[in-house]
Amino acid sequence: MDPLGYAREHRARFLEALKEFVRIPSVSTLPEHYPDLARAADWVAHRLTGAGLTARVIPSDHWPVIYAEWMGAPGRPTLLCYGHYDVQPPDPLELWTSPPFEPAERGDDLYGRGASDDKGQLLTEVFAVETLLKAGGSLPVNVKFFIEGEEEIGSPRMIPFIRKHRQMLQADVALVCDGSFFAAERPALVTGLRGLVYTEVELRGANRDLHSGIFGGAAPNPLEGLARIIAGLKDRKNRVTVPRFYTPIIPPSDAERRSWDALGFREDEYLQGLGIEDAPGEAGHSILDRRWARPTLEVHGIAGGFIGPGAKTVIPARATAKISMRLVPDQRPRVVLRAFTRKVQRLTPPGLHAEVRLLGSGAPLALSPDAPALRSAAQALEDVFHRVPVYMREGGSVPVAAEFQNVLHASPVLMGFGLPDDNLHSPNEKFHLPNFFRGIEAVIGFVQRLGDGSAVTS
Ligand SMILES: [Zn+2]
């Protein structure tokens, strides 16, 4: 049977499965949902077995990983499909039109927590592979699935997991379906993700909190020290002053530039959408450039001293600030952290002691639109959606994607089927059902094109 015929005939069943999946409240950050995560993992493994793969649930020291494979194409390339079965907490509940874990169809959309991020998108991969196996009896490439349950809390255990299981996960191409179109009817391929170095800076002064009447003017103040440090981390042109911060940066390719110019992004609409008159940032770079292609530094919180109601005349003994940097290729988290730590030490006023602690980090990712796997993905998207996909970068991070490239040496393909108004992480999350069904067809086309063999680089 023709695969597209099979995929269209089974649409109602695919939709029922998605609803069943959304009903499992697999919130990875809330302890009361821990049994639901185990249930969701079993559900995914069961689906993959039903699709014709050999699947197993691998207990990790946190949420189980589902691994599945179909290795019936010896000598052919191997595709690794990635997704996550955990979801964000649904609150505030009162803002949902229908309950978050009771999937509801309204118009062309299915509402429910996780419908788009990432349950619906994960299932496009599962049902594409099922379609090819059931309709044709085999796949043109080997296929592996790696499905995790802690993406929404930053995948803390997945980087060691990938390194430990690099043999099992080895692949030529890694497909990540956990993203969005640039706009409705504008499919997109992601060619860059920023990396991250997230720190906590602690300043210590005297050996105890001091009375500002008795000691004021004659003791170091950690809060004032933090303010001076933070102010010193950027110059008048909003450039980060950490030494060699900008030296290893690879600028976007000409193909990316052309694609961005064609996006029709308007800075005035951006400002209006945020209710601001100006978007301060590194001088000489456009807003899109600063969000996608330039490294940045932001302060997230400052704590210390007295913040209760009323007045307390204290000079605090210590104060902390959370400061992170988003990185772009070819910046290396470890090198940036070292230079940042030295800069903080140099900016620390006399009498204070600074300590920089690393809370999290991840490498940036950049892909060439000319990579064969990306060209296959672009073709597959164009075949189904009848629009040439745009190449865009994302300012955020997908921690595992860089690992697929750096550790597995697989070519990542980030092809998402969400829409910008899907309300990810917000009340009334939804998935646009035409994108669910066409997403399945796009993944089918992508797998078929990989089978040509021309799409493998490594
Ligand atoms: Zn996601």
Side-chain angles (χ1 to χ4, degrees):
M1 188 181 185
D2 157 49
L4 292 187
Y6 178 98
R8 285 170 191 171
E9 203 179 294
H10 288 80
R11 279 183 175 183
R13 184 170 60 80
F14 294 161
L15 177 57
E16 277 319 301
L18 173 56
K19 289 180 181 172
E20 208 178 292
F21 198 9
V22 170
R23 274 187 207 108
I24 307 174
S26 44
V27 182
S28 47
T29 197
L30 299 176
E32 64 266 34
H33 287 296
Y34 289 0
D36 299 315
L37 283 134
R39 203 148 59 86
D42 287 339
W43 189 93
V44 171
H46 187 73
R47 285 286 148 189
L48 285 162
T49 308
L53 294 99
T54 313
R56 64 195 170 103
V57 176
I58 304 175
S60 81
D61 40 2
H62 210 53
W63 307 129
V65 166
I66 299 110
Y67 174 76
E69 62 176 32
W70 184 93
M71 300 296 285
R76 309 292 299 158
T78 298
L79 169 69
L80 179 71
C81 295
Y82 166 84
H84 62 90
Y85 62 83
D86 64 322
V87 300
Q88 284 276 319
D91 52 284
L93 287 176
E94 66 277 12
L95 294 184
W96 285 78
T97 306
S98 51
F101 298 110
E102 285 171 31
E105 265 183 87
R106 289 198 288 281
D108 272 343
D109 298 310
L110 182 76
Y111 286 81
R113 171 58 85 231
S116 178
D117 181 14
D118 182 40
K119 290 177 171 175
Q121 301 203 48
L122 182 168
L123 287 181
T124 62
E125 299 173 299
V126 175
F127 291 140
V129 169
E130 177 198 308
T131 296
L132 287 165
L133 278 173
K134 302 280 163 165
S138 71
L139 296 168
V141 293
N142 301 296
V143 171
K144 299 175 176 179
F145 275 81
F146 165 55
I147 311 291
E148 62 150 311
E150 54 180 66
E151 198 275 345
E152 299 295 1
I153 53 170
S155 303
R157 291 162 193 84
M158 284 304 108
I159 288 169
F161 184 94
I162 292 168
R163 291 183 183 173
K164 183 174 167 199
H165 296 278
R166 70 174 77 197
Q167 212 58 41
M168 177 180 87
L169 297 172
Q170 193 286 320
D172 301 286
V173 176
L175 176 63
V176 176
C177 289
D178 187 15
S180 294
F181 278 25
F182 177 72
E185 307 297 321
R186 296 293 300 272
L189 285 166
V190 173
T191 51
L193 295 166
R194 288 201 283 189
L196 179 71
V197 168
Y198 198 118
T199 70
E200 182 172 62
V201 177
E202 177 172 348
L203 282 198
R204 283 187 305 275
N207 57 9
R208 61 186 186 279
D209 283 3
L210 301 173
H211 185 305
S212 73
I214 300 170
F215 297 99
N221 187 322
L223 278 170
E224 187 184 319
L226 274 181
R228 288 180 190 274
I229 291 170
I230 291 164
L233 286 170
K234 286 182 190 168
D235 66 15
R236 283 159 174 272
K237 293 185 161 177
N238 277 313
R239 285 173 61 86
V240 177
T241 57
V242 173
R244 301 184 64 77
F245 194 64
Y246 297 99
T247 30
I249 291 175
I250 301 172
S253 67
D254 291 344
E256 284 182 289
R257 280 256 171 257
R258 276 196 302 276
S259 191
W260 297 0
D261 289 343
L263 290 178
F265 174 81
R266 298 227 348 230
E267 301 207 341
D268 55 342
E269 287 173 3
Y270 170 86
L271 297 176
Q272 209 177 15
L274 294 178
I276 52 179
E277 292 89 48
D278 197 4
E282 191 188 354
H285 293 274
S286 71
I287 287 179
L288 267 193
D289 255 40
R290 283 184 261 137
R291 290 167 61 204
W292 289 356
R294 303 295 297 172
T296 52
L297 179 147
E298 296 292 342
V299 185
H300 310 292
I302 300 175
F306 180 69
I307 51 164
K312 181 188 177 194
T313 50
V314 63
I315 301 172
R318 61 183 285 275
T320 59
K322 312 258 189 196
I323 303 173
S324 84
M325 287 154 282
R326 294 281 177 177
L327 312 185
V328 301
D330 236 0
Q331 288 178 298
R332 304 235 300 277
R334 212 176 308 169
V335 175
V336 169
L337 175 66
R338 222 179 297 137
F340 173 79
T341 304
R342 271 201 301 269
K343 181 72 188 178
V344 167
Q345 301 288 5
R346 262 203 298 277
L347 289 169
T348 302
L352 292 165
H353 296 276
E355 190 190 334
V356 176
R357 289 186 287 268
L358 180 68
L359 299 187
S361 74
L365 176 73
L367 305 169
S368 164
D370 295 326
L374 271 178
R375 281 212 302 266
S376 296
Q379 277 298 333
L381 285 170
E382 193 182 338
D383 288 347
V384 172
F385 294 95
H386 310 296
R387 290 291 297 268
V388 178
V390 299
Y391 296 107
M392 64 179 198
R393 293 197 185 187
E394 276 175 6
S397 312
V398 180
V400 296
E403 293 300 295
F404 292 157
Q405 187 178 55
N406 299 335
V407 176
L408 302 180
H409 306 295
S411 305
V413 172
L414 293 101
M415 177 161 67
F417 302 111
L419 291 181
D421 66 352
D422 274 353
N423 297 321
L424 308 184
H425 300 198
S426 302
N428 300 310
E429 178 178 348
K430 55 123 180 118
F431 195 27
H432 189 56
L433 290 174
N435 272 26
F436 178 47
F437 300 126
R438 291 186 294 181
I440 294 168
E441 295 180 16
V443 177
I444 291 171
F446 176 61
V447 174
Q448 287 173 326
R449 285 179 179 276
L450 284 185
D452 301 343
S454 55
V456 177
T457 44
S458 59

